[in-house]
Amino acid sequence: MQDTSTRKDRLRNTPYRLAAKYGVPPFVTAVYWRAETAYWTARAAMAGDAVETTVAGETVRFGISTVAEYRRATTLGGERDLIATLLSDLDGTETVWDVGACVGTYTCFVANALTTGQVVGFEPEAVNRSRLRTNLEATAPAECWTVSPIALADENGTTTLASETVEAGGGHHYLAPDGVGRTVETRRGEDLLADGFAPPDVVKIDVQGAELLVLRGLGDLLDTVESISLEVHPAKCRRYGTTAEDVEAFLRAAGYSLTHLGGPADRRSDVYFVHAHR
């Protein structure tokens, strides 16, 4: 049976799909956008300071301080199916790296599902990282999770993190060496073991086009990573001189079988989900 929340997500976004298919005039789309913004603002105002959301039997309580956080907590960015797939890979003992953790849309569900394992949430954007920590503190014992400001990439050093928004719960932060933003530390994932990080058994990646940089930086760690859940951004890959095809070819060459899970159950385009598994 289809998840009720997933059906609601698709119904809410029917106007956008129809607009794209039939060429609805821009002013009509603008009116709808204003109405939708008012709708979400009103719902967020009525929600209070927290919302509970359940995926695959795991219930997480997300703090709400902005409209973006409310939307993310209630719709999960249209990524409910990918979260469920990631959770199905766990028996509770794994080390999980959540690369691009935002406010904990995946991290918190994983932390809730673990028994003796641990999840590391890598989030270089300071506002979201603060909210990630707050959500994890309300979700699971401290020994189940770690929050890191490091941006995983294929080189050790520093770069600029450009942000299209600084509102808590907002996404679309990306590594931009020549851009304007905050300086963040970049590290190759395989080099973090020397700093005391445990090697991951399961990895989730959402890095706005830098997917191949993260994968390359994992290096020999990929030999023991059993599964990778990632969000692939074909157009945004071009920021880094790579393509979605490059990402998939890299994973296959590393010994993974790929399952395509389609796109998000919201109006976002030019993005799709891949589950890489042994």
Side-chain angles (χ1 to χ4, degrees), residues 62 76 79-80 82-84 86-87 98 100-101 103-111 119 204 206 229 231 273:
F62 290 104
L76 302 176
E79 300 174 30
R80 183 177 297 270
L82 188 60
I83 297 171
L86 188 154
L87 292 175
D98 183 356
V103 297
T105 311
Y106 289 74
T107 327
C108 289
F109 285 107
V110 171
V119 59
K204 167 261 175 179
D206 179 4
S229 297
E231 188 169 307
F273 304 135

Side-chain angles (χ1 to χ4, degrees), residues 161-167 170-174 180 208 236 239:
L161 183 73
S163 303
E164 295 177 11
T165 174
V166 294
E167 180 183 27
H172 310 294
H173 311 293
Y174 60 97
V180 176
Q208 301 297 308
K236 293 178 180 179
R239 292 169 174 163

Side-chain angles (χ1 to χ4, degrees), residues 116-194:
T116 59
Q118 186 181 72
V119 59
V120 182
F122 293 94
E123 179 48 61
E125 203 285 313
V127 175
N128 282 338
R129 186 170 66 252
S130 174
R131 298 301 290 167
L132 167 64
R133 184 178 297 278
T134 297
N135 287 331
L136 283 166
E137 287 172 345
T139 297
E143 60 267 22
C144 291
W145 54 268
T146 299
V147 172
S148 172
I150 292 168
L152 295 194
D154 58 352
E155 295 182 355
N156 297 327
T158 60
T159 191
T160 299
L161 183 73
S163 303
E164 295 177 11
T165 174
V166 294
E167 180 183 27
H172 310 294
H173 311 293
Y174 60 97
L175 303 182
D178 299 322
V180 176
R182 183 172 301 185
T183 299
V184 297
E185 180 183 9
T186 61
R187 294 291 300 277
R188 291 175 55 86
E190 67 176 345
D191 293 340
L192 292 180
L193 271 62

Side-chain angles (χ1 to χ4, degrees), residues 204-265:
K204 167 261 175 179
I205 301 172
D206 179 4
V207 289
Q208 301 297 308
E211 295 87 73
L212 191 55
L213 277 63
V214 172
L215 291 169
R216 287 171 176 163
L218 291 174
D220 291 340
L221 291 181
L222 288 175
D223 293 341
T224 56
V225 173
E226 290 299 318
S227 69
I228 303 173
S229 297
L230 71 160
E231 188 169 307
V232 182
H233 299 261
K236 293 178 180 179
C237 283
R238 293 197 290 269
R239 292 169 174 163
Y240 309 101
T242 65
T243 67
E245 291 76 16
D246 293 336
V247 173
E248 294 195 20
F250 182 93
L251 288 167
R252 291 192 176 96
Y256 291 97
S257 298
L258 305 186
T259 300
H260 291 82
L261 302 176

